[in-house]
């Protein structure tokens, strides 16, 4: 009798897990973050966003379908004054309800085709980009994810980098080695000539 109960429990757990996977498969996942300048992580943290899309981190994660059922697209919303960002927002959107003061007829009915549409709303230039694929409102992960060991950390001298996508740091030691290699080849070539 105990084995029958355990089989029933296992079957129920499998059904619940499958329902969760189906629900997640139907959900639209987008990057979510705000910024008020162009040097904030929402604009610059490419590796952090890719790690979110790979499931390594949830730092920039938003399940649009779960947050609000009418949100059917990912978006990037920006506002610039004198060519400087005063708003940079990645998130979910319904394509109908716009941020207060950013609603103009030009934005109504935009297709989620990943094209950017802008409008001058004094004193700002406001732009929207809509798309309907998971994490399409930011950097895309590599087609073949790198082999990852997420229980360990990689360290690159002064930069501690967690597993996942390597940071986009200038590797000065590699640059030096490459430069030294080029100089060595030039000196050898000149000496032989």
């Amino acid at each position: 009798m105990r084995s029958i109960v355990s089989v029933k429990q296992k079957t129920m757990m499998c059904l619940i897990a499958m329902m969760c996977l189906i629900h997640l498969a139907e959900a639209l996942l987008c990057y979510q973050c705000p910024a008020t300048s162009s040097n904030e992580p929402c604009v610059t943290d490419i590796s952090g966003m890719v790690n979110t899309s790979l499931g390594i981190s949830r730092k920039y994660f938003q399940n649009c379908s779960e947050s609000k059922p009418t949100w059917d697209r990912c978006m990037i919303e920006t506002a610039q004054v004198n060519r400087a960002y005063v708003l940079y927002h990645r998130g979910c959107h319904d394509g109908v309800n716009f941020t207060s003061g950013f609603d103009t007829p030009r934005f109504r009915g935009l297709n989620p085709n990943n094209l950017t549409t802008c409008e001058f709303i004094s004193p700002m230039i406001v732009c929207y980009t809509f798309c309907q694929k998971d994490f399409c409102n930011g950097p895309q992960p590599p087609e073949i994810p790198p082999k990852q060991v997420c229980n360990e950390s990689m360290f690159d001298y002064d930069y501690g980098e967690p597993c996942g996508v390597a940071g986009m740091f200038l590797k000065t030691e590699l640059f030096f080695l490459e430069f030294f290699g080029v100089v060595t080849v030039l000196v050898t070539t000149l000496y032989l000539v």
Side-chain angles (χ1 to χ4, degrees):
M1 184 72 169
R2 183 173 180 170
S3 63
I4 293 174
V5 171
S6 104
V7 169
K8 284 183 180 179
Q9 287 175 340
K10 287 180 183 177
T11 303
M12 185 58 82
M13 288 177 14
C14 286
L15 287 173
I16 290 170
M18 286 174 42
M19 288 171 51
C20 288
L21 287 173
I22 289 169
H23 175 71
L24 193 59
E26 293 175 359
L28 178 64
L29 308 177
C30 299
Y31 295 113
Q32 164 58 42
C33 60
T36 54
S37 72
S38 59
N39 60 354
E40 292 184 44
C42 190
V43 181
T44 62
D45 188 11
I46 305 301
S47 60
M49 283 183 249
V50 172
N51 284 340
T52 297
S53 69
L54 291 173
I56 296 169
S57 154
R58 291 180 66 90
K59 184 176 182 179
Y60 300 105
F61 177 88
Q62 184 172 21
N63 181 330
C64 297
S65 311
E66 192 175 89
S67 298
K68 191 171 183 179
T70 58
W71 285 346
D72 65 347
R73 59 195 69 196
C74 299
M75 64 111 188
I76 299 175
E77 172 188 50
T78 63
Q80 294 181 22
V81 175
N82 296 327
R83 297 183 182 168
Y85 286 119
V86 293
L87 172 70
Y88 194 102
H89 179 206
R90 298 179 198 268
C92 303
H93 205 278
D94 61 7
V96 177
N97 299 298
F98 293 87
T99 302
S100 178
F102 291 4
D103 187 12
T104 71
R106 184 171 177 83
F107 296 141
R108 294 188 198 126
L110 289 177
N111 290 325
N113 54 11
N114 213 14
L115 296 176
T116 302
T117 302
C118 299
E119 177 75 64
F120 179 73
I121 302 173
S122 185
M124 300 175 286
I125 296 177
V126 177
C127 301
Y128 281 95
T129 306
F130 295 127
C131 54
Q132 283 185 313
K133 293 183 181 176
D134 287 345
F135 300 111
C136 59
N137 63 334
Q140 299 300 294
E143 288 184 25
I144 301 172
K147 191 172 183 179
Q148 300 162 9
V149 180
C150 291
N151 294 329
E152 298 178 6
S153 292
M154 301 179 298
F155 290 97
D156 179 19
Y157 293 94
D158 296 321
Y159 304 108
E161 296 181 300
C163 65
V165 176
M168 301 182 74
F169 301 116
L170 174 62
K171 311 249 186 240
T172 52
E173 66 280 359
L174 291 178
F175 175 77
F176 175 75
L177 291 174
E178 289 172 6
F179 176 75
F180 183 72
V182 169
V183 169
T184 303
V185 169
L186 287 173
V187 169
T188 304
T189 304
L190 290 173
Y191 179 75
L192 292 174
V193 173

